[in-house]
Amino acid sequence: MEKVEKGLALIREGKSEEFAKYLSQMRKADPLVAELLIVGEMVYTRPSSEAIRHATRLLARVSDKPDLAVYLFAWLGIAHRMMGEMGASDNYFAREMETAEAMGNPNRAFKARLDLLYNKFMRAEFDSLYRDIQELAQRDSASDDYDIQYMLGALETAMGRPKKAVEILKAFLSRRDITPIQNATLKEVLGFALRMSGNLEEAYRAYAEATQELLALNFAYSAFPCAKAMELSRLKGMPPLPRDTIRKCINLAKSASWGELAASSEIEALLAEDDAEASVMLFEAAQSYHKAYQTIEAVSAGAAAAYLAWVSDAPIFTKILKFLGPILFLYPRFREDPILGDFISVIQPLMEKETKAPRVQGIEAYLIGDLRLFVNGKAVSLDSWGRKDAIRCLVYLLLSPKHRIPDDHLFYLLWPNKKYTHKTRRWLYNLITIIRKKLGNPNLMGKKGDFYYLRDTWTDLGEIENLIRRADSSQNPTEREELIARARELASGELLPDFIYDSHVDEYRQYYERMRKRLLSYGE
């Protein structure tokens, strides 16, 4: 573990040249540790699908080495989280925690537990998460102050107490023992708290400093605070960040994960001079944030897109309302935002009207119990498909929370022992062609960049997740009970029982079982 920790320290400190030398030494002294460190670097600097592929291939080699396996479990949890695959992320963090506990490593187990709690934050389960964090802080505060204070700061802001968040974050930032990456990421959260408390100039400075500090570490995450600073610049007339800073953030983000790509899209949108053009680009960025489970950023960018569409009378305004309606309820305190809060209050009735509109026709899939598929209300027989791998391909896309998967990752899920080359990618294209034909509407399956995705798709698994989120955010006990009752009714069977030897499906099956247990104990 000491060899791995030494390499990780160099990654965290942004010492790329020293890390390269150390990695070269490890390739000769301990090749397995070198392979682990390559994965550790990939998680933060390369597309998540690539990190997952390399990490998964190493699992068998560390199966009898728990002191190394915990790192792979952690990185797989982070990589899946970056892709929005929260069920798989939960599974790997749980495995990390169980392994650490069996090793007698309480600090590592504590870290895994914090990662599980952070997944709750990304799912906007604020009330239960706040109770968990308070309990954890009292019992284990000496184990990892940074993660606790980071989440507390974000939670206090999201729950409408930004001034308390500012106090928490500034107190921790005054310490001398925090690392450069901790300092930078805490400043980003501080910027959000300052914005929500009305201290906009100070918020801008916090975002700008966080951007520069993350760039100094060569971290693609710098695009996040950069985008937030540029929101203040565009909407409140703050000075723009230096052009070279903006360009560096965009360039780093282009080769990173979904969230960073979404942030780079928002940056480019905010650079557009025409309000109508900027609103279209911001809407695309908001959708990308949402697909990456960066929901706070999705709400912020979506609200900015709606505002610019409103003032420019852009026709995309109605589409933005349809997007914002279902996610804004997760963050009701955003209506208190000093920049866009008043505007959100004005358009709130319009959003509610759009949210209540009937769902557009498209794919309707039941994954619990026997697999059933409908397109525009008409049943699609899977028995006539002939190709079981085409059905598996469709199932993987249906399971994915946003119904989109990178092409190389989708290929790897279908053929884990094959290489994705110009020749073998034809295999995947052939399956996609079959699916498009069997759905009867080629437009329901698309490809954008490196991602295959399904349009206009509803699944019972996704509906259960949505009902639980709405119940958690509801302040009305009667409404909460109705939502949970509907979720329990949908969760009455097993998830894809015919896919018994599929490891990817099994990850979602474990996630589904945790949701069922939660539904059974809800309200206790």
Side-chain angles (χ1 to χ4, degrees):
M1 290 183 72
E2 290 181 4
K3 296 176 183 177
V4 178
E5 287 295 335
K6 183 176 179 180
L8 290 179
L10 295 174
I11 294 173
R12 295 188 192 105
E13 293 166 10
K15 298 178 179 178
S16 54
E17 292 184 6
E18 292 182 37
F19 174 74
K21 292 179 182 177
Y22 183 71
L23 188 61
S24 179
Q25 296 171 7
M26 282 297 102
R27 282 194 171 105
K28 298 175 183 178
D30 197 330
L32 182 55
V33 168
E35 289 295 320
L36 278 171
L37 288 173
I38 289 171
V39 173
E41 183 186 34
M42 279 183 173
V43 168
Y44 300 104
T45 61
R46 305 286 288 276
S48 298
S49 57
E50 191 173 342
I52 290 170
R53 184 167 63 254
H54 281 74
T56 305
R57 288 173 177 170
L58 280 178
L59 282 174
R61 294 175 61 184
V62 299
S63 59
D64 60 342
K65 301 176 178 64
D67 57 329
L68 299 181
V70 289
Y71 290 103
L72 273 186
F73 294 151
W75 293 331
L76 280 163
I78 292 169
H80 278 288
R81 177 164 65 199
M82 287 179 173
M83 291 183 67
E85 296 177 345
M86 306 305 289
S89 177
D90 281 352
N91 291 339
Y92 281 112
F93 287 137
R95 290 175 70 180
E96 178 193 7
M97 185 168 67
E98 291 165 2
T99 303
E101 288 173 345
M103 290 167 53
N105 187 337
N107 288 343
R108 188 83 207 184
F110 181 77
K111 179 186 176 301
R113 187 175 180 190
L114 284 173
D115 272 317
L116 284 167
L117 293 177
Y118 188 68
N119 281 4
K120 271 191 171 186
F121 179 82
M122 293 189 73
R123 288 192 287 258
E125 299 171 9
F126 296 143
D127 290 336
S128 63
L129 174 58
Y130 191 75
R131 291 191 295 269
D132 291 340
I133 287 291
Q134 291 285 18
E135 178 186 345
L136 206 58
Q138 293 173 7
R139 190 169 67 244
D140 296 300
S141 58
S143 298
D144 201 321
D145 276 337
Y146 162 74
D147 287 309
I148 289 177
Q149 303 306 318
Y150 179 96
M151 276 195 278
L152 272 178
L155 269 174
E156 294 287 4
T157 304
M159 297 176 76
R161 299 184 289 269
K163 291 183 179 179
K164 186 174 181 181
V166 170
E167 293 176 5
I168 292 170
L169 294 164
K170 283 189 173 181
F172 197 81
L173 280 164
S174 67
R175 291 173 43 164
R176 296 183 178 181
D177 59 342
I178 59 175
T179 67
I181 182 63
Q182 290 174 342
N183 190 74
T185 50
L186 281 170
K187 280 185 179 177
E188 186 208 3
V189 181
L190 175 62
F192 181 44
L194 288 165
R195 168 176 170 165
M196 295 301 289
S197 60
N199 298 323
L200 300 183
E201 291 186 2
E202 197 176 348
Y204 178 82
R205 286 196 297 272
Y207 285 140
E209 289 175 10
T211 301
Q212 294 293 352
E213 290 171 16
L214 287 164
L215 279 178
L217 296 169
N218 207 38
F219 274 29
Y221 192 81
S222 59
F224 275 87
C226 178
K228 293 179 173 73
M230 290 184 65
E231 281 185 19
L232 295 175
S233 177
R234 179 65 179 254
L235 300 175
K236 295 302 293 184
M238 302 287 180
L241 293 175
R243 281 278 174 175
D244 62 331
T245 296
I246 294 170
R247 186 51 49 194
K248 287 177 184 176
C249 290
I250 291 174
N251 289 340
L252 279 174
K254 292 295 186 184
S255 61
S257 190
W258 291 7
E260 285 81 3
L261 285 168
S264 71
S265 297
E266 183 182 8
I267 293 169
E268 292 177 327
L270 291 165
L271 288 172
E273 293 184 6
D274 181 72
D275 285 344
E277 179 187 358
S279 69
V280 173
M281 296 171 68
L282 271 173
F283 180 42
E284 291 178 355
Q287 291 174 301
S288 296
Y289 275 133
H290 186 47
K291 288 171 182 174
Y293 264 87
Q294 302 290 340
T295 318
I296 290 179
E297 285 77 8
V299 170
S300 180
Y307 174 74
L308 293 179
W310 175 278
V311 298
S312 63
D313 201 24
I316 201 171
F317 179 70
T318 302
K319 287 185 178 181
I320 300 173
L321 291 187
K322 288 181 178 179
F323 167 78
L324 270 179
I327 61 172
L328 187 61
F329 76 87
L330 296 172
Y331 302 93
R333 297 294 181 176
F334 203 80
R335 297 183 185 91
E336 300 169 11
D337 176 40
I339 300 176
L340 294 168
D342 290 343
F343 169 71
I344 289 173
S345 297
V346 169
I347 65 171
Q348 184 71 34
L350 299 175
M351 278 192 289
E352 291 175 355
K353 180 180 178 181
E354 293 295 338
T355 302
K356 291 175 182 177
R359 191 178 67 85
V360 295
Q361 286 192 315
I363 299 170
E364 186 176 354
Y366 292 85
L367 307 175
I368 298 166
D370 293 333
L371 176 60
R372 292 174 293 149
L373 184 68
F374 300 83
V375 173
N376 297 337
K378 183 179 178 181
V380 176
S381 173
L382 296 170
D383 295 335
S384 64
W385 283 36
R387 294 284 299 271
K388 290 185 178 180
D389 47 3
I391 296 175
R392 285 176 58 216
C393 182
L394 177 63
V395 164
Y396 294 157
L397 284 162
L398 290 169
L399 283 170
S400 178
K402 308 303 177 186
H403 312 301
R404 67 187 296 230
I405 302 178
D407 52 7
D408 60 343
H409 187 51
L410 186 55
F411 178 92
Y412 171 70
L413 292 174
L414 291 161
W415 299 283
N417 298 318
K418 302 295 182 180
K419 289 185 178 180
Y420 191 50
T421 65
H422 288 291
K423 183 178 179 179
T424 59
R425 75 172 58 200
R426 187 73 188 178
W427 304 350
L428 180 58
Y429 180 75
N430 288 340
L431 294 189
I432 298 300
T433 301
I434 291 171
I435 295 170
R436 284 174 171 155
K437 181 179 178 181
K438 293 297 183 179
L439 291 176
N441 183 353
N443 293 326
L444 290 173
M445 172 171 276
K447 191 170 194 288
K448 186 173 183 180
D450 296 329
F451 294 87
Y452 281 109
Y453 65 93
L454 299 173
R455 292 186 179 94
D456 301 334
T457 298
W458 177 97
T459 70
D460 49 0
L461 181 64
E463 182 68 5
I464 292 169
E465 292 177 308
N466 184 50
L467 289 168
I468 291 174
R469 284 196 296 267
R470 290 177 60 189
D472 284 341
S473 63
S474 175
Q475 302 300 313
N476 185 322
T478 302
E479 180 187 39
R480 194 181 306 126
E481 289 178 10
E482 291 175 354
L483 292 168
I484 291 301
R486 285 162 56 190
R488 286 172 177 162
E489 184 178 351
L490 286 171
S492 59
E494 303 302 316
L495 181 71
L496 296 167
D498 291 336
F499 291 72
I500 54 176
Y501 298 115
D502 191 305
S503 59
H504 188 64
V505 172
D506 192 53
E507 288 182 348
Y508 282 93
R509 190 174 289 119
Q510 294 174 47
Y511 171 61
Y512 169 62
E513 289 302 322
R514 286 198 300 273
M515 281 202 299
R516 290 180 79 183
K517 289 180 181 177
R518 186 177 172 201
L519 283 171
L520 290 173
S521 62
Y522 204 96
E524 293 181 357

